[in-house]
Every structure is written in structure tokens, then in C-alpha cells.
Amino acid sequence: MLLDPYKRRINYLRISITDRCNLRCRYCMPEEGIPLIPHESLLTYEEILRIVRLFAMEGISKVRITGGEPLVRKGMVSLVAQLAQIKGINDLSLTTNGVLLKELAADLKRAGLKRVNISLDSLRRDRFCQITRRDDYERVWEGIVEALSVGLSPIKINMVAIQGLNDDEIEPFARLTLHLPLTVRYIEYMPSGNGEEWREGDVLTIPQIKSRLEKMGKLIPMQGDQKDGPALRFRLEGAIGEIGLIGAVSTHFCADCNRLRLTPDGKIRTCLFSDEEIDLREILRKGGTDRDLKEKLYAALQTKPERHLINTHRFKKCQRNMSAIGG
Ligand code: SAM
């Protein structure tokens, strides 16, 4: 079992397999993109698989593939197939913007993927274009429909709620759960990503969102389970889908944090908001042994902060863009 200095059990690895993305969401990336990690610095699939096999032996049992946009990396279905075979990994999931999901959902399901999170911040095509700077709304919807039809489950739709941008879409998103077996999750806008854009006043807080949802009908709390992570779960009375609320800014879920992150260039990050990184790539490429890699894993665990510092005077925005960490 992997324990950090605060006795938290760490069993979840989020792997960003690329920093490339086919959208340019305003709050995440500038229009021209960000300087890309050179191809030769990206971990190969073999390197990723070696790390996951080793970490699984130590206690990692959950893996999420993210990015950048993970579906843009060539051969990622075969990575999924191989991750799904690793002994000890009993929860394999994916976070995607959905643009390429229509084409890949069936293959991903066959490869062993069970569930998927799809990021979607607007249900209006014009606004989707405005936020993402790409005209791909229809493709994302087709991706969601395909994911439902091939039986990926649960399908979670992650909506980052931002004042003045999409705050009028809280209710339309919640209404999706009335008729579709989707989990709609509202995520507080966090201070990371594109330049100096973030303002505290832009955050639509989870208490604000919850009080809006309560006006739509009875909001029935649901039991959390280990797979929910930091989400508070609810169901609108009569709905077939669910609602999740995730507040990184207004609430603190660090006490239950069970995560490590692996960046596309092979660094372990122990907190989304800390720039402390432990390099595995160098060990991998200089002939390091499995034991060397495990030692780094345990060294990384020791650096996991007790909590992030958002809302404190010590908070500093992290250096890496979200797309190069894996949100
Ligand atoms: N491309 C994939 C996707 O769109 O889901 C995976 C990577 S993306 C960086 C992961 C998630 O991070 C997306 O849901 C995105 O909306 C979210 N994200 C990016 N910047 C954020 C911010 N400043 N606050 C909250 N969420 C953010």
C-alpha cells in the first residue's frame, strides 16, 4: 500500500499521454497553443506501461488517461488495451474532449475501457465555438451518443462553470440527466491554465451551483463510492442520470486526495497545483532498474503536499499549463 506522509492511501495515477490538443479552450490555452514538448521527450507507450506495471505492484489500482487531448495521440487504443491487461489495475478510465470519440469509442470499449469523462462547457454551438475556438460541437455530441451506444458506462460530462461565460447553462446541463443516463459534473474554475486569465470573481462556486439546482426540483444526495473521487453526488428527483459537484476552490478535498500524476514527459507530480516534479524519464532512458523507479515513486510520495494553497496568500500559479499536466 502506498501511503504519503499524511497517511493518505495513494492508489490513483492520472497519466497525461500528450500535451497536444485539438481544441483551444480560452481558459486553458492561448489561441496559438503553447510551446510543445518535443516528440522525443514524450514517454513512449512502452515506457508508460513499464511505469504502470511497477506502480501497480506497489498499490496503484486506478489509472486515468488524459492530456492534452489523449485521443489525438496515435495508437492510444493499443495503449488502452495493454493497460487494461495489467494485473492490479481494476479501474481504467479516460478524460477526453470528445471530438474524436465517435470514431474511437467502439475500439476503446473493445480494448477494455469501461468508462469515460467528456469535457463539455456549453450546449450551444455558438458558445462552444467561442469557448473552444473550434467548430466541433456536433462532433462532440456524436461522440457522446456513440459512447452511450457502445456501452461505455458511466459517461460523465464535465462542465467547467465560469461566471459570465456559461453560468446560464447550469440548468440545461442538469436537464440532460432527466432523460439520459449521463452524469453531469460541475467543476469549479481553477487558477491554472491560460496566462493571467483567472479571477476569483469568475468562479461559480459549488454552493452557488447547488442552490440553483435545488430550485429545479428535489436534489437527492447519493452515496459516494471510491470511484467518485472528490465529487458530491446527487440525483434530481425522477432523473435517470446523476449530478456531481466538484469544488477545488471553495471547498477542500485534499484530505482525501489519492492521486499522483504522470506528465507526458515523464515527471511525477503529486499535486495539480504544485510544481514539484520527480523525473522518471531520465531513469528510464539511462538504463535505470525497476528498483530505481520504485525508489523515485516513494521519494515522490514524500513530497506530496498536505493541501493546495488556493485561497491563501502563499498560492502561486503553477508553471506548467493544464494541458501539459493532465487535468
Ligand atoms: N482534453 C481532455 C479534455 O478536454 O477533457 C483532457 C485534458 S483537459 C486539460 C482536462 C480537463 O481540465 C477539462 O475538463 C478542462 O475543462 C479542465 N480544465 C482546464 N483548465 C481548467 C481550469 N482552469 N479550471 C478547471 N478545469 C480546467
Side-chain angles (χ1 to χ4, degrees), residues 82-135:
Q82 292 179 79
L83 287 170
Q85 305 278 320
I86 295 179
K87 198 164 157 241
I89 301 301
N90 50 39
D91 181 30
L92 179 61
S93 56
L94 168 79
T95 296
T96 171
N97 59 31
V99 174
L100 297 173
L101 198 53
K102 183 180 178 196
E103 290 84 340
L104 291 173
D107 288 345
L108 286 165
K109 176 83 167 74
R110 264 193 298 276
L113 187 75
K114 301 270 182 306
R115 60 199 191 93
V116 66
N117 289 5
I118 302 165
S119 306
L120 180 64
D121 299 327
S122 179
L123 296 172
R124 292 173 34 180
R125 181 177 164 201
D126 58 337
R127 189 175 281 163
F128 178 94
C129 293
Q130 184 202 345
I131 296 173
T132 65
R133 301 189 179 102
R134 297 288 185 273
D135 191 3

Side-chain angles (χ1 to χ4, degrees), residues 1-2 13 15 46-61 63 83 86-89 260 262 268 280 283-284 288-298:
M1 190 193 294
L2 294 170
L13 181 66
I15 306 173
E46 288 67 30
E47 288 169 333
I48 292 173
L49 288 163
R50 180 173 172 202
I51 289 171
V52 177
R53 284 191 190 106
L54 275 176
F55 285 16
M57 284 191 255
E58 301 305 299
I60 293 294
S61 57
V63 167
L83 287 170
I86 295 179
K87 198 164 157 241
I89 301 301
L260 293 178
L262 181 63
I268 300 184
L280 296 186
I283 301 179
L284 287 163
T289 62
D290 289 355
R291 194 172 159 172
D292 296 332
L293 287 166
K294 283 186 192 174
E295 271 171 18
K296 282 282 178 191
L297 166 64
Y298 284 95

Side-chain angles (χ1 to χ4, degrees), residues 27-28 66-70 95-97 119 160 188-190 192 322 327:
Y27 58 83
C28 189
T66 178
E69 171 48 40
T95 296
T96 171
N97 59 31
S119 306
V160 179
E188 280 178 350
Y189 180 31
M190 296 182 284
S192 63
M322 188 82 118

Side-chain angles (χ1 to χ4, degrees), residues 257-301:
C257 184
N258 60 350
R259 302 169 177 197
L260 293 178
R261 289 182 157 79
L262 181 63
T263 66
D265 50 348
K267 316 276 195 267
I268 300 184
R269 283 177 77 106
T270 57
C271 172
L272 187 54
F273 297 103
S274 160
D275 276 318
E276 187 110 24
E277 297 184 343
I278 304 252
D279 189 8
L280 296 186
R281 194 188 64 207
E282 202 190 351
I283 301 179
L284 287 163
R285 296 195 180 170
K286 288 198 171 152
T289 62
D290 289 355
R291 194 172 159 172
D292 296 332
L293 287 166
K294 283 186 192 174
E295 271 171 18
K296 282 282 178 191
L297 166 64
Y298 284 95
L301 276 185

